[in-house]
């Protein structure tokens, strides 16, 4: 539901910042509870260190919003929302390792391996990944088991060789080659970034029992915001500071990575991202008032500063 406390009392317009702040609080409380395990101490400390380090919580919020859009509840979607953040966070932990992007800062603090060592960071990532699936299977309430099974299968596909892992390996193989084609760059980002955003949106809708047609419309929305999100990420790597980003800025140029700005320039990259956001919003035509959060999140993606 679009809650009345997300409406600006003066204008009755949708108040995205109140909405995001409310959903972030709910997601963080659920993550805190899901990870309230004490032993083995170092493992859970490392998992909680990265999971509770802030972050925009975009993937869980998209999942909750699309579940509500399709007539479901926050309670039904919350275990999947938390699982999405566990998978996203484990991918950040592994991405920051010396064997991958080799980064010292993430979400404004030292990376997981800098604090706990590479061995523990790898295992904390592994534990988050596997726990994510257990959490969806064991904790989802008030949803037909067939829907839960579909969500688990879609999640696995979005994360594996046809998703994040596939995108990451092509990305690693392309490093130091600023001449890769637009098709390769788009493959990398559709898999590394857009796949998880896509499954965040479709999972919420599937759990709520949305029709196949509605799930497809939402998939169109998600694919477009997913690619726009990455174009903006590439732009921010050039235009923002490390302090604002909470991670090292300027890494793409330093690693001689092909990016959208390196292929198109900054202005054309902004234009392409704006076009994608407009067509993402158009994909929601016909969903009525409950599409307000997803429309506002699309605008947030293009206007974000970190
Ligand atoms: C998933 C099994 C498995 C392994 C990981 C390392 C790897 C394989 C994939 C890399 C995926 C990756 C790091 C993609 C980048 C996605 C991206 C744009 C992250 C930044 O997302 P934000 O801005 O971050 O939403 P916050 O911190 O706000 O959550």
């Amino acid at each position: 539901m679009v809650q009345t406390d997300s409406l600006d009392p003066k204008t009755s317009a949708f108040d995205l910042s109140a909405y995001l702040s409310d959903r972030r609080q709910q997601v963080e409380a659920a993550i805190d509870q899901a990870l309230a395990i004490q032993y083995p101490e170092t493992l859970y400390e490392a998992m909680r260190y990265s999971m509770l380090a802030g972050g925009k919580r975009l993937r869980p919020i998209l999942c909750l919003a699309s579940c509500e859009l399709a007539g479901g509840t926050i309670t039904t979607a919350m275990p999947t929302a938390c699982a999405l953040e566990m998978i996203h966070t484990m991918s950040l932990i592994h991405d920051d390792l010396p064997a991958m992007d080799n980064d010292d800062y993430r979400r404004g603090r030292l990376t997981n391996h800098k604090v706990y060592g590479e061995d523990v960071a790898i295992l904390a990532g592994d534990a988050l990944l596997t726990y994510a699936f257990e959490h969806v299977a064991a904790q989802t309430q008030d949803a037909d088991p067939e829907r839960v099974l579909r969500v688990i299968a879609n999640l696995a596909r979005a994360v594996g060789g046809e998703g994040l892992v596939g995108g990451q390996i092509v990305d690693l193989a392309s490093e130091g080659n600023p001449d890769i084609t637009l098709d390769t760059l788009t493959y990398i980002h559709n898999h590394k970034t857009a796949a998880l955003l896509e499954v965040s949106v479709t999972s919420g809708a599937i759990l709520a029992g949305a029709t196949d047609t509605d799930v497809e419309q939402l998939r169109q929305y998600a694919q477009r915001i997913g690619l726009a999100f990455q174009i903006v990420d590439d732009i921010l790597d050039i235009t923002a500071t490390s302090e604002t980003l909470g991670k090292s800025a300027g890494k793409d140029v330093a690693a001689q990575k092909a990016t959208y700005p390196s292929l198109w320039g900054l202005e054309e990259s902004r234009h392409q991202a704006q076009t994608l956001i407009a067509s993402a919003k158009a994909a929601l035509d016909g969903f009525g008032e409950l599409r307000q959060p997803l429309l506002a999140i699309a605008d947030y993606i293009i206007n974000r500063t970190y």
Side-chain angles (χ1 to χ4, degrees), residues 66-254:
S66 73
C67 187
E68 289 192 288
L69 166 72
T73 65
I74 289 188
T75 309
T76 298
M78 191 57 93
T80 303
C82 291
L84 286 157
E85 190 65 19
M86 289 175 204
I87 293 168
H88 169 58
T89 302
M90 79 70 56
S91 82
L92 301 179
I93 295 173
H94 282 198
D95 192 53
D96 291 334
L97 288 167
M100 304 254 181
D101 254 15
N102 192 18
D103 223 316
D104 292 353
Y105 290 96
R106 174 70 72 176
R107 292 177 166 170
R109 39 162 87 174
L110 283 171
T111 45
N112 200 290
H113 66 274
K114 282 274 155 194
V115 177
Y116 296 99
E118 283 180 54
D119 47 1
V120 174
I122 291 167
L123 292 169
D126 292 344
L128 282 171
L129 179 62
T130 45
Y131 187 50
F133 289 93
E134 178 189 338
H135 196 61
V136 178
Q139 300 298 329
T140 305
Q141 294 167 30
D142 306 325
D144 181 339
E146 187 267 336
R147 292 179 197 161
V148 180
L149 198 60
R150 256 176 88 193
V151 163
I152 291 173
N154 289 347
L155 264 179
R157 190 183 165 122
V159 170
E162 289 180 64
L164 265 80
V165 174
Q168 177 75 351
I169 202 147
V170 178
D171 193 19
L172 290 175
S174 308
E175 227 166 79
N177 175 8
D179 299 325
I180 65 167
T181 63
L182 181 59
D183 278 353
T184 306
L185 187 64
T186 304
Y187 175 92
I188 293 170
H189 295 313
N190 274 340
H191 291 77
K192 251 186 88 165
T193 304
L196 198 58
L197 291 164
E198 180 184 324
V199 79
S200 303
V201 172
T202 55
S203 296
I206 290 169
L207 287 170
T211 63
D212 288 349
T213 312
D214 283 356
V215 172
E216 282 319 305
Q217 283 304 111
L218 288 163
R219 189 188 310 284
Q220 297 292 320
Y221 162 85
Q223 286 173 342
R224 293 166 194 172
I225 61 161
L227 201 50
F229 184 88
Q230 184 59 52
I231 297 174
V232 172
D233 223 62
D234 286 357
I235 295 171
L236 290 173
D237 185 69
I238 297 171
T239 58
T241 62
S242 301
E243 287 68 36
T244 311
L245 293 179
K247 61 181 181 184
S248 314
K251 284 211 72 170
D252 296 339
V253 176

